[in-house]
Amino acid sequence: MSAVNKKSLFYAMALAIVAFYLIMTAAYRWGDGTPPQITLVEPFTHAGPTTPLILRVEDAETGLQEVTVRLVQNLESYTLAQEQFSAQSPLSIGGGAQDTFDLNILPFSDDTIPKRRGQVKLVIEARDSSWRGFFEGNWSRIEQNVAVKFTPPRLEVLSSPLPVSQGGAGIVAYRVSDDGQRYGVRIGETFFPGYPNPDRAFNAFSLFAFPHDLPASTPLFLVADDGLGNHAEQRLDVTIIPKRWRSRTITISDRFIEQTIRPIIAQTPELEDLDDPLRNFLQVNNVLRKRTTAQLATLAAGSQPEFLWNGAFVQLSNSQVEAAFADHREYRYGGNVVDTQYHLGFDLAVTKHYPVEAANDGKIVLAEDFGIYGNTIVIDHGYGLQSLYAHLSSFVAEKGDVVSKGQIIGRSGMTGLAAGDHLHFSLLLQGVQINPVEWWDERWVQSRITDPLGKNDAAAPTDVPQTSVPPNRMGPLPPNRMGPSPPP
């Protein structure tokens, strides 16, 4: 074959290859009949300032060419996003184009659209890079009607709560509009949820506790949120009675650490023996204590929204008070102060392995070894109110049991962070430790909790002092009580 013929053949083959490639490209571009896929990751029909628009647009074939996101209200259009993507080379069969687009914004949080309540239409359009429709491409479109709201819920306090002590509890009844999704009392960083009560003139109430360690000047707020980012807040006019807590110094010995701290570490997988008495003590008395406190708050979140308890709570029968609520403890080791903590509860002692009674009706939600508290039972009394029984030597009841006031649930002991046989008793409201003395007083329970909720028809005293432990439970120390005063 001559050189001329070879060259002609080469050009013919090259042209054939190019023609084939162009035909394949055109077939690929015209053959893409699949429009882009638009996905609202979190669909919504109601929106407010904190409602997110989470969007994904995909085209796995020829890729995306354009995406537009708009809001239409009263014939006016507001563009939230408009993206043009680089087109593929006309000679490209695949690759090189952007095949996904993600958007995550708060479309109603700024001045993108006027803050007008009412219906808004969300319009999302996407076009791919195919040559369908005379190079127009495949289109996708989503329209979604959305009810937009920028007004907060309405709150109305029906009467000011009665005075509340530091470390004490109270109740407030109020009205909240139907759009209130989450409402309650906020004190500092702590939130006490509200609950519906449609049978009364008010339609909601909140049990709340004033933390023992907050200044009495700390304001209380009634708050409500509609779940869309619209927030209402109203300051509560509540008198807070300041309290002074006792102080006590406790000396920690190596013997105590060896006998008490090491066993706790051995039973707690998240802790390790640091082979240093002081460091071991601190990780139990400080780190583990905080972890246990957080677990109690989590446990309170599952409290039943109903009153399971009835009347005043009862103190452990025949018990001597060894340590009271909010005693401030200074721990010394080797002559130095190494830690400080508040003792949040009552230490009650009678005799070794004394039967422990349920302080009120409720349901047991925890019965296990529980960090610094050792063998522990927690009873849920409803609406976030729970009682804790710690350092038990044994259990008589178990998790899930429904118990009655005075029913035996376990026996006192010295498990956990305890140096002598006793019961550590605590009352908690939404995981916040409160002073049990109030709840042991029948008159206080009636005037401060029961009557404000309209649960009793009989009038109750309006000026009931917040008393100390009832006199008939402060008898002399039984001669056969076991062990020294406990340190936790």
Side-chain angles (χ1 to χ4, degrees):
M1 181 181 294
S2 67
V4 174
N5 290 336
K6 287 182 178 180
K7 190 173 182 180
S8 297
L9 180 60
F10 172 78
Y11 282 127
M13 292 179 63
L15 287 172
I17 292 173
V18 171
F20 177 78
Y21 189 81
L22 290 174
I23 291 171
M24 292 298 296
T25 299
Y28 168 69
R29 293 297 182 87
W30 264 299
D32 176 14
T34 304
Q37 180 179 354
I38 302 174
T39 303
L40 277 173
V41 179
E42 295 184 8
F44 56 89
T45 57
H46 293 74
T50 61
T51 303
L53 171 59
I54 305 176
L55 171 69
R56 164 157 279 216
V57 184
E58 301 173 279
D59 191 280
E61 306 246 352
T62 52
L64 296 171
Q65 183 175 168
E66 179 182 1
V67 175
T68 303
V69 183
R70 296 178 298 127
L71 293 173
V72 179
Q73 185 181 44
N74 298 331
L75 301 180
E76 294 183 80
S77 180
Y78 307 91
T79 300
L80 301 178
Q82 187 169 22
E83 295 288 338
Q84 297 280 346
F85 304 101
S86 299
Q88 289 178 310
S89 166
L91 300 180
S92 173
I93 293 181
Q98 182 163 331
D99 55 9
T100 62
F101 170 76
D102 292 297
L103 184 67
N104 189 342
I105 61 173
L106 300 175
F108 307 100
S109 64
D110 53 25
D111 295 327
T112 302
I113 65 171
K115 295 295 189 291
R116 290 197 295 264
R117 181 173 180 161
Q119 287 289 328
V120 172
K121 182 177 291 184
L122 173 65
V123 180
I124 305 167
E125 296 174 311
R127 181 161 62 107
D128 67 12
S129 298
S130 77
W131 289 353
R132 283 294 184 97
F134 296 98
F135 303 97
E136 184 70 15
N138 298 299
W139 284 87
S140 289
R141 179 185 176 98
I142 284 181
E143 292 188 4
Q144 173 73 57
N145 289 324
V146 179
V148 182
K149 178 175 176 288
F150 298 108
T151 55
R154 297 186 306 278
L155 287 169
E156 180 187 1
V157 179
L158 300 185
S159 61
S160 296
L162 295 171
V164 174
S165 294
Q166 283 178 302
I171 196 166
V172 58
Y174 50 95
R175 292 192 184 98
V176 59
S177 53
D178 292 342
D179 55 343
Q181 297 297 309
R182 184 174 185 263
Y183 46 86
V185 175
R186 191 185 75 242
I187 308 175
E189 299 298 320
T190 306
F191 176 74
F192 299 91
Y195 299 93
N197 192 10
D199 296 332
R200 299 290 170 183
F202 53 90
N203 66 352
F205 71 93
S206 292
L207 284 166
F208 63 90
F210 194 92
H212 74 283
D213 55 350
L214 284 184
S217 58
T218 304
L220 288 75
F221 294 96
L222 185 64
V223 298
D225 194 286
D226 63 2
L228 302 174
N230 299 299
H231 181 77
E233 182 174 287
Q234 180 178 339
R235 183 161 179 168
L236 287 173
D237 182 18
V238 184
T239 299
I240 303 301
I241 303 172
K243 289 288 186 177
R244 297 186 65 181
W245 312 117
R246 302 187 308 183
S247 296
R248 183 179 179 189
T249 299
I250 297 176
T251 300
I252 302 300
S253 66
D254 287 338
R255 182 172 180 271
F256 172 78
I257 293 174
E258 183 66 30
Q259 292 183 344
T260 305
I261 300 297
R262 278 183 177 271
I264 295 176
I265 294 175
Q267 297 178 77
T268 310
E270 58 266 32
L271 299 182
E272 61 175 310
D273 192 334
L274 302 176
D275 200 28
D276 179 279
L278 177 57
R279 292 175 66 198
N280 278 342
F281 171 74
L282 291 177
Q283 71 168 335
V284 169
N285 197 52
N286 197 309
V287 177
L288 184 59
R289 186 186 294 270
K290 291 178 180 177
R291 197 171 296 167
T292 304
T293 299
Q295 290 174 300
L296 287 171
T298 301
L299 198 64
S303 178
Q304 293 296 308
E306 58 180 315
F307 286 107
L308 303 178
W309 53 275
N310 180 33
F313 285 62
V314 293
Q315 183 184 331
L316 180 67
S317 59
N318 303 312
S319 61
Q320 169 74 29
V321 174
E322 289 194 328
F325 177 79
D327 284 353
H328 185 259
R329 292 180 169 181
E330 184 180 83
Y331 296 88
R332 288 182 172 269
Y333 177 80
N336 300 315
V337 177
V338 295
D339 199 9
T340 59
Q341 299 288 343
Y342 281 98
H343 177 262
L344 299 177
F346 268 73
D347 285 346
L348 306 171
V350 188
T351 58
K352 186 176 182 180
H353 297 173
Y354 188 78
V356 172
E357 309 110 344
N360 214 317
D361 303 345
K363 182 177 181 178
I364 296 178
V365 293
L366 182 143
E368 62 185 52
D369 181 79
F370 193 55
I372 63 170
Y373 293 114
N375 291 334
T376 302
I377 283 177
V378 175
I379 298 177
D380 179 36
H381 304 288
Y383 290 120
L385 183 63
Q386 298 181 329
S387 57
L388 178 147
Y389 311 76
H391 308 315
L392 303 177
S393 60
S394 61
F395 299 111
V396 176
E398 59 184 22
K399 181 178 178 180
D401 286 354
V402 175
V403 296
S404 301
K405 184 189 303 187
Q407 180 177 332
I408 304 302
I409 58 174
R411 294 185 177 274
S412 67
M414 51 185 296
T415 57
L417 198 56
D421 188 295
H422 71 287
L423 169 70
H424 174 95
F425 175 77
S426 287
L427 269 181
L428 305 99
L429 187 57
Q430 303 298 341
V432 176
Q433 301 264 6
I434 56 177
N435 195 344
V437 167
E438 297 178 335
W439 297 83
W440 286 334
D441 187 332
E442 185 74 54
R443 296 178 69 216
W444 182 92
V445 171
Q446 179 176 319
S447 65
R448 301 305 177 95
I449 305 296
T450 306
D451 287 348
L453 283 178
K455 293 173 69 64
N456 280 347
D457 294 330
T462 58
D463 185 19
V464 180
Q466 300 190 28
T467 60
S468 59
V469 179
N472 64 332
R473 297 194 182 277
M474 294 290 289
L477 183 69
N480 57 344
R481 185 192 57 81
M482 303 299 294
S485 297

